[in-house]
Amino acid sequence: MSDHSSLSNSIEARDSNSVIHPLTNLKTHLEKKALVIQEGDGVWVTDVHGNKYIEGMSGLWCVSLGYGQERLVNAATDQMRRLPYYHLTNHKSHQPAIELAEKLLEIAPVPMSKIWFSNSGSEGNDSAVRIVWYYWHAMGKPEKRKIIAHQRAYHGNTIASASLSGMYYNHASFGLPLDGFLHITPPHYYRYSNPRESEEDFATRLANELDQLIRAEGPETVGGFFAEPIMGSGGVIIPPPTYYRKVQDVLKKYDVLLVADEVITAFGRTGNMFGTTTMELNPDMLVCAKGLSSAYIPISALMVNARIFDVIANESDKVGVFGLSFTYSGHPVSAAVAREALSIYEDENIIEHVQLMEPYLIGGLKELLGHPLIGEVRGKGLLAGVELVKNEITGDAFDPSHQIGGYCADRAESHGLIVRAIGDTISFCPPLIINEIEIKELITRFEAALDDTLIMAKQNNLLS
Ligand SMILES: Cc1ncc(COP(=O)(O)O)c(C=O)c1O
């Protein structure tokens, strides 16, 4: 890869001088130049200097159908010509929103009644929090408004969805979370189990923790529980098989609504159309985004079941209107692109393809077990995490200040592979259209990055 950090009028320098970057150390970014991507094709992206990379993360877990999908481009341009904008407020509507809502209700993993549109996963979760509050208010229990989620969960970055998120960096120095947002232990057996505790016992202990928290807070004050079927940004955490059954028993006992955050897991990512199916959830509401339009345009959808819809409809009648609104809810161009994306998932048999490719990605990464840096390989469908440790036998973690994961991701980039470091977990979420040869190439490049990282770790005496 070419070195371009010295070019003072370079596009990288212009970036540093003009753009504030999310989830980036803003100070070091003034020195560390951006990787400026110019174009994409299939699973590949190319930077402004002509270097090609396998996009092992589908951007931010979102370009599920890969780059260069002409059908999505045509859906957008056709709709822009016909009707570039209309809205859904005050009894207005348009065909693209209606068709997309109908299709989502048809493929929903559990019976759902209506669809609420917004523009991002954050807004979808924010809307779901608002609807939990509105619902319990309508039910005559306005105090039932506390919300529980997992530590290390990522649910977005509006004030409510950042409060839901269990990431320290979403809270630190922002004065968050808001009161009434509570977090429980994440269901990650490898990191959070006690010595000699079985997976089953671990799941039971965590469900008991939830039960105790709800009782300590008072069940009459707890309104909702939000969960990603498989936690993405928390490090690709796959709960034990019985975890959600036990959790749902607790929620039922105290009449707490369940919201599935499927912003990453929906539309084939875990080998089923929805992660709700993969992990056997039965949510009252379900949020999806990202893969909904394959990220070609912003859109999210919140599915709402009949239990909730009937109550909020009556309440809106009392209030006068349902007072939640975004100018771009169900934007016709976004809706048309998303509707076309849903057709592509079906026409191209994407789910079957993911099931076929899963052994190459997850199995291929598991073949790397035994490498001195690898503690755990976990994954489902085409979503995987590889946890780097300083001792593969004991699983002891590196001191976070060594930023081993970040180093490994940087090395991968220099080998032409884009992955994401979540602490010391390297995550993989390639476009679902990736083929066997491309997966093998991805793993070869990752192995080279691992070997570079091992050399660095040995040189600095970081292993134990
Ligand atoms: C599980 C989950 N929920 C919500 C969000 C927030 O979505 P957005 O960035 O579109 O607001 C994300 C984003 O990564 C996510 O992974």
Side-chain angles (χ1 to χ4, degrees):
M1 300 293 127
S2 46
D3 175 17
H4 21 265
S5 53
S6 56
L7 306 175
S8 58
N9 275 335
S10 65
I11 191 152
E12 292 84 355
R14 287 165 51 205
D15 167 80
S16 291
N17 289 335
S18 58
V19 180
I20 298 178
H21 289 261
L23 289 183
T24 299
N25 180 323
L26 300 181
K27 183 133 187 264
T28 58
H29 186 72
L30 297 173
E31 301 303 323
K32 182 175 171 174
K33 307 301 182 190
L35 170 66
V36 184
I37 298 295
Q38 183 149 276
E39 56 191 41
D41 182 24
V43 303
W44 297 87
V45 290
T46 307
D47 70 18
V48 285
H49 304 284
N51 300 312
K52 284 184 82 175
Y53 308 81
I54 299 177
E55 222 324 334
M57 279 301 295
S58 303
L60 280 179
W61 327 78
C62 52
V63 189
S64 297
L65 295 170
Y67 293 88
Q69 287 281 359
E70 280 302 313
R71 285 177 63 178
L72 299 182
V73 177
N74 292 336
T77 49
D78 289 353
Q79 186 57 45
M80 275 204 181
R81 286 202 180 90
R82 195 172 311 122
L83 182 72
Y85 177 74
Y86 217 76
H87 60 90
L88 303 178
T89 74
N90 289 309
H91 306 286
K92 306 289 191 302
S93 197
H94 51 75
Q95 206 165 333
I98 297 164
E99 287 182 358
L100 179 59
E102 284 176 346
K103 185 67 189 172
L104 285 167
L105 291 173
E106 179 196 316
I107 64 173
V110 294
M112 289 290 179
S113 172
K114 302 283 184 294
I115 305 293
W116 165 260
F117 290 115
S118 46
N119 307 294
S120 65
S122 300
E123 284 175 54
N125 280 318
D126 198 290
S127 299
V129 169
R130 294 274 297 274
I131 290 175
V132 168
W133 290 344
Y134 200 80
Y135 173 86
W136 287 117
H137 203 280
M139 295 291 288
K141 299 180 179 179
E143 72 288 357
K144 199 167 166 67
R145 58 188 284 118
K146 289 180 190 161
I147 311 265
I148 303 177
H150 290 113
Q151 295 154 17
R152 291 179 59 187
Y154 185 67
H155 295 296
N157 249 308
T158 59
I159 290 175
S161 61
S163 295
L164 266 179
S165 296
M167 301 289 199
Y168 80 94
Y169 53 76
N170 294 138
H171 301 158
S173 309
F174 288 115
L176 292 176
L178 293 177
D179 284 349
F181 286 84
L182 309 163
H183 298 91
I184 56 167
T185 304
H188 186 197
Y189 179 70
Y190 181 74
R191 271 281 158 249
Y192 291 84
S193 59
N194 293 328
R196 290 179 296 287
E197 185 177 40
S198 69
E199 255 199 306
E200 182 71 22
D201 289 347
F202 173 67
T204 305
R205 176 163 64 79
L206 263 51
N208 287 340
E209 181 191 329
L210 175 64
D211 192 303
Q212 280 159 18
L213 177 65
I214 295 174
R215 274 193 285 130
E217 295 289 328
E220 71 288 353
T221 70
V222 179
F225 180 78
F226 281 61
E228 300 161 81
I230 291 176
M231 292 170 67
S233 301
V236 187
I237 295 169
I238 303 168
T242 58
Y243 173 72
Y244 278 123
R245 183 171 54 66
K246 294 173 197 284
V247 161
Q248 289 175 105
D249 287 347
V250 174
L251 299 178
K252 216 178 262 165
K253 188 158 100 185
Y254 298 116
D255 204 9
V256 174
L257 298 173
L258 172 61
V259 182
D261 179 348
E262 289 237 33
V263 168
I264 288 179
T265 51
F267 312 114
R269 178 56 64 188
T270 68
N272 289 298
M273 194 53 139
F274 290 92
T276 284
T277 307
T278 306
M279 300 309 292
E280 299 180 30
L281 294 172
N282 189 13
D284 297 290
M285 288 190 268
L286 186 154
V287 184
C288 53
K290 297 192 189 264
L292 174 56
S293 63
S294 189
Y296 276 51
I297 197 157
I299 184 165
S300 64
L302 167 62
M303 301 179 179
V304 175
N305 72 8
R307 169 189 175 180
I308 292 182
F309 181 75
D310 294 349
V311 171
I312 67 172
N314 281 336
E315 188 67 5
S316 77
D317 187 36
K318 246 199 257 167
V319 173
V321 291
F322 181 54
L324 191 53
S325 166
F326 304 110
T327 298
Y328 302 123
S329 284
H331 190 287
V333 179
S334 305
V337 171
R339 180 65 192 84
E340 189 68 359
L342 295 183
S343 294
I344 297 176
Y345 286 107
E346 285 181 354
D347 297 346
E348 313 267 325
N349 297 318
I350 296 292
I351 310 293
E352 289 82 351
H353 180 71
V354 171
Q355 290 165 359
L356 280 176
M357 291 301 110
E358 173 173 350
Y360 297 108
L361 181 69
I362 313 293
L365 291 171
K366 284 199 168 150
E367 278 175 24
L368 302 179
L369 280 165
H371 188 285
L373 283 180
I374 297 187
E376 188 186 39
V377 175
R378 44 187 186 262
K380 270 260 190 300
L382 289 178
L383 182 61
V386 175
E387 187 150 340
L388 308 184
V389 292
K390 69 175 179 182
N391 184 320
E392 54 161 329
I393 312 289
T394 61
D396 286 348
F398 285 104
D399 183 328
S401 68
H402 295 136
Q403 301 194 3
I404 290 291
Y407 183 87
C408 185
D410 282 351
R411 293 311 303 152
E413 200 170 293
S414 69
H415 290 290
L417 167 66
I418 296 179
V419 291
R420 195 168 183 83
I422 301 170
D424 289 339
T425 295
I426 305 298
S427 51
F428 299 83
C429 184
L432 304 180
I433 50 144
I434 195 166
N435 64 33
E436 186 187 335
I437 294 166
E438 290 161 339
I439 291 175
K440 286 196 169 139
E441 187 58 37
L442 177 155
I443 289 175
T444 303
R445 292 176 186 212
F446 175 54
E447 229 179 324
L450 270 179
D451 290 342
D452 292 350
T453 308
L454 182 60
I455 291 169
M456 184 280 279
K458 280 183 175 161
Q459 280 169 349
N460 291 284
N461 289 324
L462 301 181
L463 298 177
S464 68

